Amino acid sequence: MRALLTALLFSALAAGVFAGAGGRSIFANVPVKNPRYPAFNDAGHRTSLISGEQATIINTRQIDIGRLEFIQYPGDGSARVVTRMTAPVASVFEFDSPAPRIEGKENVRLAREDELDVTGEDWAYDHARQKLTINKNARILYKAPLKNILGRSATDQPASQNPPSALEPDETLVTADSLALTQNETNGTTLAVLKGNVVITSVDGLRLACDHLEITAARLRDKDPALTPLDKFQLLVATGNVRLTQGARTVTCGRADVFPREDRITLTQNAVVTDTELKITAAGDPLVLHRADRRIEGKTGRFILPPWQATGTEPRAENAKLENTVITAGNFVMRETPDGLTHANLDENVTVAATDTRLTCDHLVLAVTPQKQPDPDAPAPKIAPLHHFLATGNVHLTQASREATGGQAEVLPDEDKIILTQNPVLIDHEASAKASADTFTLQRLERRLTAENNVRITLPPIKDLSANAPRATAATPGTDTVVTSRALTMWTTPDELSHAIFDGDVHLEGTNLDLACKHLTVDADPRKTGAPPQSPKPDSTLDPKLQTIASKILLLVATGDVRFKQLSREVTSGRAEIIPAEDRITLTENPVIIDRSNPDETVTFSSEKLTLIRGEENIEGEKIKITRTTTKPQP
């Protein structure tokens, strides 16, 4: 029926005859007032209507119409308007077919019920394909909101940074140089392909710009009643110089696949996400953003944070140049939690580079505190808002002259603290020291290091202070000094001297010295270099270039049940002071020295104070009590 009526109508037009008002004959190229060209389906229901103020029949294939109005109906006998297209001037082609084509150079407007509104210039409409093409100043207004896909709304930013929008709350605007809009009646979707200077804006601050954009949107009126306007958009594919901003977050990439119903965006081709609130830039390929749980996943990740001074015992010069904190990893997941913190988990070849700090590990977990600045004139903080930092698996940390390895490093910037566990080893190249313990705690501002349980530290050799040591000016190489204890505290004072306190089951082994006590303090000057570096020694645990002889250690003080051996001498006392630079050991608090250098007798020395001098067998002291015990067997 539809084909028959349409053929009869347009055959009459092609013959140059049209029944106008009053039955007058109308010929080709003669204007027709108020033309109306309806179309019907096989059921006899009207499916479309072409009308206007004036029509001119150009030839058998073309009619030009002024103030065109093209209306599509559902074809069910109702008067409901599905689509309305209007234009000041348009040309209708193939009007003798059930699917004419309509073109125009001036403005066009297409409105589809309460779902979208399209405008533009230099356009063409193909009714058979249900496709509208606009070549200039294309504009689509969707009557549905685009979800807060970046997980950052305009309310996250100060009002001064979000000017009022001209859009209604349930609208999304898309503009571009050109547009191809196709309606699929079978699945109830529309596909919009936009090119050139494409921009999407929404009332909640979303703005997407790109070179090319494809939007797949659903017709909600005749579909699942459970769908809401938020389900309007099914897929957006943006390519070419993609830039997406919403609230505090900005995305740049070569391609963005947006799945609004799944609250997911997949970013590829050099994807970068910048969060001005968190002051973090994250890069990866791909990056996947999940809006519902405010989570980002990525591969070949790279994070950039503001300069951050890692904690430790090394001070930083005030005029030192601060560096951005750069974190890289093979995989990462970043998410936000209700407490306002942003957490990131990074795996596979993790590296961290910050001011005076370099770190590598297998796995890294960090937490960042948002830094909102309601006052736009307020100065930006210079230090990254890191709240927590946990590195695990083959941790290697370098900071100035210090180097650490272990299974775990926990950084607490708010407490200015680093905690090293799981078989940590700490090497201080400047102090020529190497230490191990169950736990190390480093505090930068206090320039302090503490160690707990199974403490072992290797220090530079100290002088051989035994009675048999030569008194020559040039000392011969000694063995490294090894100290073990249950606990250790080290710190640096303003005069740049280093101090250490060992507590609990202290044991020191050095050149011709084996000492045990309850408490030991060591004072050293790491700036001293002493004698030139010696040749490598097979038993040394330190870099040969760092070996010095008694040059760094200034004073050792042992207290509490002091016992030590020095070649043939055994010493007990309550306190022992070892001063390498003065070649002496001073014993107080009931000191007793047992000398077994003579195989025939044992000599015991006791006094209130005894002093051993390097290279001398004599023992200095006042009121020394000497006891001799014969050890030679009787005949």
Side-chain angles (χ1 to χ4, degrees):
M1 177 67 72
R2 173 181 174 179
L4 175 60
L5 291 174
T6 302
L8 289 174
L9 172 65
F10 288 108
S11 294
L13 289 173
V17 179
F18 177 80
R24 294 173 297 174
S25 297
I26 305 299
F27 298 93
N29 297 319
V30 177
V32 178
K33 298 293 185 179
N34 303 316
R36 295 171 62 82
Y37 308 139
F40 302 86
N41 59 20
D42 293 339
H45 300 309
R46 185 169 56 179
T47 58
S48 66
L49 173 64
I50 299 175
S51 63
E53 284 188 356
Q54 178 176 289
T56 301
I57 302 175
I58 304 303
N59 53 47
T60 59
R61 310 294 294 176
Q62 176 182 348
I63 298 176
D64 290 351
I65 300 178
R67 297 196 178 279
L68 167 78
E69 184 176 57
F70 175 52
I71 298 175
Q72 290 181 269
Y73 301 96
D76 57 3
S78 69
R80 177 166 65 92
V81 175
V82 176
T83 302
R84 185 189 302 272
M85 184 171 65
T86 60
V89 179
S91 298
V92 181
F93 297 90
E94 300 180 15
F95 46 78
D96 59 347
S97 74
R101 292 184 298 107
I102 308 174
E103 297 180 0
K105 292 295 183 181
E106 299 185 27
N107 296 333
V108 68
R109 179 182 181 185
L110 183 148
R112 186 174 180 89
E113 294 188 304
D114 56 353
E115 296 196 12
L116 57 80
D117 196 322
V118 182
T119 61
E121 303 172 38
D122 189 9
W123 57 277
Y125 175 73
D126 187 334
H127 188 56
R129 299 170 62 188
Q130 293 284 292
K131 180 177 181 180
L132 173 64
T133 302
I134 295 176
N135 298 313
K136 184 178 180 182
N137 297 328
R139 180 183 184 272
I140 306 180
L141 182 66
Y142 288 97
K143 302 298 183 65
L146 187 58
K147 284 184 178 181
N148 179 18
I149 53 180
L150 285 187
R152 292 279 180 181
S153 67
T155 56
D156 292 330
Q157 289 287 79
S160 60
Q161 299 183 25
N162 294 282
S165 173
L167 300 175
E168 295 296 328
D170 59 348
E171 293 180 340
T172 300
L173 176 64
V174 188
T175 60
D177 292 341
S178 65
L179 161 69
L181 180 69
T182 304
Q183 300 181 99
N184 189 324
E185 296 295 341
T186 302
N187 60 18
T189 62
T190 60
L191 173 63
V193 179
L194 302 104
K195 298 180 182 179
N197 300 307
V198 183
V199 176
I200 294 181
T201 54
S202 68
V203 72
D204 65 352
L206 170 69
R207 186 179 191 277
L208 186 153
C210 61
D211 297 336
H212 185 279
L213 176 66
E214 296 183 8
I215 303 175
T216 302
R219 283 192 64 191
L220 303 180
R221 184 183 182 97
D222 303 323
K223 297 301 174 182
D224 186 348
L227 297 177
T228 70
L230 290 176
D231 299 303
K232 174 73 174 179
F233 298 98
Q234 293 183 350
L235 174 64
L236 292 82
V237 179
T239 56
N241 299 305
V242 180
R243 182 178 180 86
L244 201 163
T245 59
Q246 191 168 33
R249 201 167 270 178
T250 299
V251 171
T252 60
C253 61
R255 178 186 174 114
D257 291 75
V258 183
F259 303 87
R261 292 185 179 181
E262 301 175 24
D263 288 333
R264 174 169 58 90
I265 303 178
T266 299
L267 310 172
T268 53
Q269 300 177 19
N270 301 317
V272 177
V273 177
T274 300
D275 195 310
T276 57
E277 181 180 292
L278 298 175
K279 302 190 181 303
I280 290 180
T281 297
D285 200 349
L287 291 179
V288 182
L289 283 64
H290 302 268
R291 185 193 68 87
D293 53 3
R294 307 186 81 165
R295 174 168 50 95
I296 299 177
E297 298 176 347
K299 292 185 178 296
T300 62
R302 178 182 174 88
F303 286 84
I304 300 177
L305 295 85
W308 169 62
Q309 174 76 34
T311 54
T313 59
E314 292 290 343
R316 177 180 58 82
E318 291 301 322
N319 60 354
K321 182 179 179 181
L322 294 175
E323 302 174 4
N324 283 333
T325 301
V326 179
I327 306 174
T328 61
N331 302 288
F332 77 88
V333 176
M334 186 169 71
R335 69 188 187 283
E336 295 181 43
T337 51
D339 57 6
L341 296 179
T342 294
H343 303 264
N345 289 266
L346 303 97
D347 294 286
E348 192 176 319
N349 300 320
V350 182
T351 67
V352 179
T355 303
D356 70 18
T357 301
R358 298 293 183 272
L359 180 145
T360 60
C361 61
D362 295 337
H363 183 81
L364 179 66
V365 177
L366 59 88
V368 181
T369 305
Q371 296 290 298
K372 293 187 177 181
Q373 294 178 268
D375 182 2
D377 297 326
K382 294 183 179 180
I383 304 302
L386 284 174
H387 178 74
H388 183 260
F389 190 106
L390 181 65
T392 56
N394 298 307
V395 178
H396 184 230
L397 175 69
T398 58
Q399 187 180 48
S401 64
R402 190 170 47 254
E403 179 180 358
T405 59
Q408 176 173 297
E410 184 175 13
V411 182
L412 302 172
D414 293 343
E415 302 177 31
D416 197 45
K417 184 184 297 184
I418 292 180
I419 301 174
L420 305 173
T421 54
Q422 298 182 16
N423 303 314
V425 175
L426 184 64
I427 300 175
D428 192 320
H429 295 288
E430 186 175 33
S432 302
K434 178 179 180 180
S436 61
D438 289 353
T439 303
F440 283 112
T441 301
L442 293 75
Q443 293 174 282
R444 181 181 64 88
L445 292 181
E446 298 181 17
R447 304 178 71 181
R448 181 180 296 270
L449 177 149
T450 59
E452 299 177 6
N453 300 324
N454 299 312
V455 178
R456 177 185 174 89
I457 184 168
T458 303
L459 300 168
I462 59 175
K463 283 183 180 180
D464 181 359
L465 299 180
S466 64
N468 297 335
R471 294 285 289 174
T473 302
T476 57
T479 59
D480 296 330
T481 304
V482 179
V483 185
T484 60
S485 65
R486 290 203 301 265
L488 163 67
T489 300
M490 296 181 66
W491 71 97
T492 301
T493 49
D495 57 6
E496 298 303 323
L497 296 181
S498 297
H499 308 272
I501 298 177
F502 297 85
D503 282 303
D505 299 328
V506 182
H507 184 211
L508 181 150
E509 288 186 78
T511 306
N512 291 327
L513 180 64
D514 190 337
L515 180 148
C517 61
K518 295 180 178 179
H519 185 84
L520 175 67
T521 64
V522 180
D523 298 332
D525 186 351
R527 298 166 298 182
K528 298 186 68 175
T529 57
Q534 306 297 318
S535 300
K537 306 189 303 305
D539 60 344
S540 176
T541 59
L542 292 177
D543 186 333
K545 295 182 180 179
L546 300 175
Q547 292 178 17
T548 58
I549 300 178
S551 60
K552 296 181 182 291
I553 298 178
L554 305 178
L555 173 66
L556 295 91
V557 178
T559 57
D561 194 19
V562 180
R563 300 173 180 272
F564 70 85
K565 294 182 179 180
Q566 198 174 49
L567 298 179
S568 61
R569 289 175 174 174
E570 298 178 7
V571 177
T572 60
S573 67
R575 177 185 179 91
E577 293 186 9
I578 303 173
I579 308 175
E582 298 181 7
D583 291 342
R584 68 176 60 240
I585 300 176
T586 300
L587 308 172
T588 55
E589 299 181 14
N590 303 315
V592 174
I593 300 175
I594 300 176
D595 191 331
R596 306 181 189 277
S597 57
N598 188 341
D600 295 334
E601 66 176 357
T602 299
V603 182
T604 302
F605 304 85
S606 60
S607 178
E608 292 183 358
K609 179 179 180 181
L610 296 174
T611 301
L612 303 176
I613 306 299
R614 177 177 181 267
E616 296 183 4
E617 295 187 0
N618 294 334
I619 299 174
E620 296 183 355
E622 297 181 359
K623 300 179 180 180
I624 299 177
K625 180 180 178 181
I626 302 176
T627 303
R628 298 180 183 275
T629 302
T630 300
T631 58
K632 183 178 180 179
Q634 295 296 325

